């Protein structure tokens, strides 16, 4: 039976993006009904009745008043099944249905009043839909298969001007519901993008011709992924762009927050050179808005302003001993590393507090800086860590010790006021929070002393918003408040981490793209961008179950000694097998419908 269950799990993993939530709930109810043992009435009889009510609602049976009444009856029955079933087979699906009726209230209302799904519920190509920038993934995979790597890069740049960055550090949400999961495993989309960039670096691929000059000038504050992306699209539309960067080099957290072993800086420079090749983008480094040049100055001099300052300030922990010598911000350490200020941790015991990518970067950096022992502590479970799984595995394989469910309580100082140890209180997982993660609660265990010479704090990032608050931009605590298009005030836009809080590179890129088009519209234009790239027509699907290709990594005992890139290149043979696994959902199935490529 287990092989059949594995197939069923793959089906769930590849559940179509854009599916009507009511149809999804119907599938879940049907599955729950088949598991019922029949012992208790609420589960045995209630689940089939709920399934029938939901099916009737999907079918649009009766008049609106009838469907409204049926919806209320369904809610009451679900509450009854939840509260009176003997076991989880009964009460859990009822609980999930009730949650869906709240979460997807608009969808339920649409079926009640209009007998149809919402207009934004339609079959989509999973990888394209789940990429925040909506990059044409099947298209550039097809071009890689053809061997036209330059065209693949330019097809990526239709939506994302930083192909190298996303090839190396993107969290690849595009793979989440890859339809290839129905057969075996998702395609290694990020690995194929890296293969294309290896053969066609951004600064070697000719850029498209920009639109006719509009005479409009746009100021962009910040040269991170969001600012660079906005500048790219605005320049393609024919506008002139000036980017103001506080640091001495452009790139934002791509340069100052990600170590070279993950993202070599020459790869970033290649992407930036490709962007600047458009010819109408100027970057002025070493200019911090609020010191000499104000936001008001920019508003008066330029037709529009895009604020993309990121979240580059490391947050601290308000615990006893936090002022001890040897307590450092992980963000500051990574920033210094990018400026060739490498910390000397030789022979030292380093404890890192946190569970995100910054914590893992700080951990692996400390190892490369000679630390004798590196210990990561996180107050939740390991599976709740927000760092990429392969980054966690990489840190452990390189020699770090990881302790989950340890909450810091205070830092012990020695006679000189330096760090002597970090004290932690063991935790246990408690009830789930709003995000579905168990909330850590103190365990009935004694506190643990972790000897340390250095404590690196990696518990989050904030933005330096003082000047923007003084400039009357709306803020929610320290984040700038913008609408869905990035608009903050007339002709002032913002996006990326300074609006969303610390997020991913591809989310910042998507925000920059959205804001660029919104700025263009507000200026009175309606530019469209088409690089004119023809995507090859697909052949028959390769439906033979085949293992996913992963490019190898350098051995841990070698890579932990330097800051060279940890990965090795995918070979032509490996890339050839991987591209052959793409099912070309843009042409086959729902991709050929409205919204897909016909």
């Amino acid at each position: 039976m287990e092989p059949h269950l594995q197939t069923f799990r793959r089906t769930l993993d590849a559940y179509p993006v854009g599916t009507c939530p009511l149809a999804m709930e119907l599938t879940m109810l049907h599955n729950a009904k088949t598991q019922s043992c029949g012992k208790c009435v609420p589960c045995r009889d209630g689940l089939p009745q709920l399934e029938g009510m939901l099916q009737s609602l999907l079918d649009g049976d009766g008049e609106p008043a009838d469907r409204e009444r049926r919806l209320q009856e369904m809610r009451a029955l679900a509450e009854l099944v939840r509260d009176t079933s003997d076991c989880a087979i009964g009460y859990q699906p009822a609980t999930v249905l009730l949650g869906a009726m709240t979460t997807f209230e608009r969808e339920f209302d649409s079926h009640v009043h209009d007998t149809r799904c919402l207009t934004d519920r339609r079959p989509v190509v999973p990888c394209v839909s789940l990429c925040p920038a909506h990059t044409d993934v099947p298209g550039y995979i097809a071009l890689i298969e053809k061997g036209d790597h330059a065209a693949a890069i330019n097809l990526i740049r239709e939506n994302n001007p930083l192909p190298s960055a996303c090839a190396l550090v993107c969290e690849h949400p595009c793979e989440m519901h890859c339809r290839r999961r129905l057969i075996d495993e998702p395609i290694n989309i990020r690995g194929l993008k890296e293969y294309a960039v290896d053969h066609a670096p951004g600064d070697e691929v000719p850029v498209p011709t920009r639109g006719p000059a509009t005479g409009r000038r746009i100021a962009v504050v910040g040269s991170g992924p969001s600012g660079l992306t906005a500048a790219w699209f605005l320049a393609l539309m024919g506008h002139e762009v000036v980017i103001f960067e506080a640091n001495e080099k452009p790139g934002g957290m791509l340069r100052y927050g990600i170590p070279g072993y993950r993202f070599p800086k020459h790869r970033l420079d290649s992407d930036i050179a490709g962007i600047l090749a458009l010819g109408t983008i100027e970057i002025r480094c070493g200019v911090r808005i609020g010191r000499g040049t104000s936001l008001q100055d920019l508003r008066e001099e330029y037709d529009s302003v895009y604020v993309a300052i990121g979240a580059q300030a490391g947050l601290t922990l308000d615990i006893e001993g936090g002022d001890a010598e040897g307590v450092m911000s992980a963000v500051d350490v990574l920033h210094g590393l990018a400026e060739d200020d490498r910390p000397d941790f030789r022979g030292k015991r380093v404890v890192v507090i946190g569970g995100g990518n910054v914590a893992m970067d700080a951990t692996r950096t400390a190892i490369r800086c000679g630390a004798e022992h590196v210990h990561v502590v996180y107050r939740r479970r390991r599976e709740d860590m927000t760092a990429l799984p392969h980054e966690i595995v990489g840190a452990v394989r390189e020699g770090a010790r990881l302790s989950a469910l340890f909450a810091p309580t205070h830092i012990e100082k020695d006679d000189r006021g330096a760090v002597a140890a970090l004290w932690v209180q063991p935790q246990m997982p408690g009830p789930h929070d709003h995000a579905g993660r168990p909330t850590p609660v103190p365990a009935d265990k004694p506190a643990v002393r972790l000897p340390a010479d250095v404590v690196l704090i990696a518990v989050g990032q904030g933005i330096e918003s003082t000047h923007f608050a003084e400039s009357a931009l709306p803020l929610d605590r320290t984040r700038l408040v913008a609408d869905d298009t990035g608009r903050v005030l007339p002709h002032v836009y913002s996006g990326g981490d300074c609006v969303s809080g610390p997020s991913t590179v591809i989310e910042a890129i998507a925000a920059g793209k959205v804001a660029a088009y919104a700025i263009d519209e507000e200026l009175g234009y309606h530019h469209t961008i088409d690089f004119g790239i023809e995507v090859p027509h697909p052949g028959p699907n390769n439906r033979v179950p085949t293992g996913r290709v992963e490019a190898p990594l350098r051995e841990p005992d070698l890579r932990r000694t330097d800051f060279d890139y940890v990965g090795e290149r995918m070979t032509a043979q490996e890339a050839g097998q991987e591209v052959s696994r793409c099912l070309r959902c843009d042409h086959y199935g729902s991709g050929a419908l409205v919204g897909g490529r016909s």
Side-chain angles (χ1 to χ4, degrees), residues 99-119:
M101 293 173 76
T102 299
T103 302
F104 304 112
E105 183 178 3
R106 290 178 58 243
E107 283 85 351
F108 276 89
D109 285 346
S110 183
H111 279 277
V112 167
H113 299 295
D114 302 320
T115 67
R116 61 176 175 79
C117 302
L118 289 174
T119 54

Side-chain angles (χ1 to χ4, degrees), residues 319-392:
I319 59 175
E320 179 186 344
D323 59 345
E325 180 185 343
V327 177
M328 307 177 188
S329 161
V331 171
D332 292 345
V333 169
L334 296 175
H335 190 284
L337 187 69
E339 296 182 325
D340 296 324
D341 181 13
R342 183 178 300 188
D344 184 1
F345 292 151
R346 287 176 296 180
K348 294 185 178 180
R349 300 163 298 179
V350 178
V351 177
V352 180
I353 303 173
N357 284 324
V358 171
M360 294 304 103
D361 287 342
T363 298
R364 300 174 76 179
T365 292
I367 291 170
R368 286 162 172 76
C369 290
E372 178 183 305
H373 179 71
V374 182
H375 194 164
V376 183
V377 296
Y378 182 56
R379 68 190 187 96
R380 295 181 184 269
R381 303 173 305 171
R382 176 168 174 167
E383 53 265 43
D384 298 323
M385 294 175 72
T386 57
L388 290 169
H390 67 264
E391 293 298 321
I392 301 171

Side-chain angles (χ1 to χ4, degrees), residues 515-533:
Y517 280 94
I519 290 169
D520 185 66
E521 290 282 343
E522 189 176 37
L523 292 176
Y525 302 93
H526 186 69
H527 288 106
T528 58
I529 298 173
D530 183 1
F531 288 11
I533 299 170

Side-chain angles (χ1 to χ4, degrees), residues 293-311:
T293 300
S294 69
L295 179 63
Q296 186 58 35
D297 293 335
L298 298 183
R299 296 184 69 181
E300 292 173 359
E301 184 178 351
Y302 294 88
D303 295 291
S304 194
V305 179
Y306 181 58
V307 179
I309 57 175

Side-chain angles (χ1 to χ4, degrees), residues 405-455:
L405 292 171
F406 269 8
T409 59
H410 67 280
I411 294 171
E412 177 187 329
K413 301 179 184 180
D414 63 16
D415 294 340
R416 298 178 294 105
V419 173
L422 174 71
W423 284 84
V424 294
Q425 174 61 48
Q427 307 287 295
M428 60 180 287
H432 284 196
D433 59 18
H434 67 281
R437 299 189 302 176
T439 302
V441 295
D444 187 14
K445 297 177 181 179
V448 177
R449 183 180 185 271
L450 305 178
D453 304 299
V454 175
V455 174

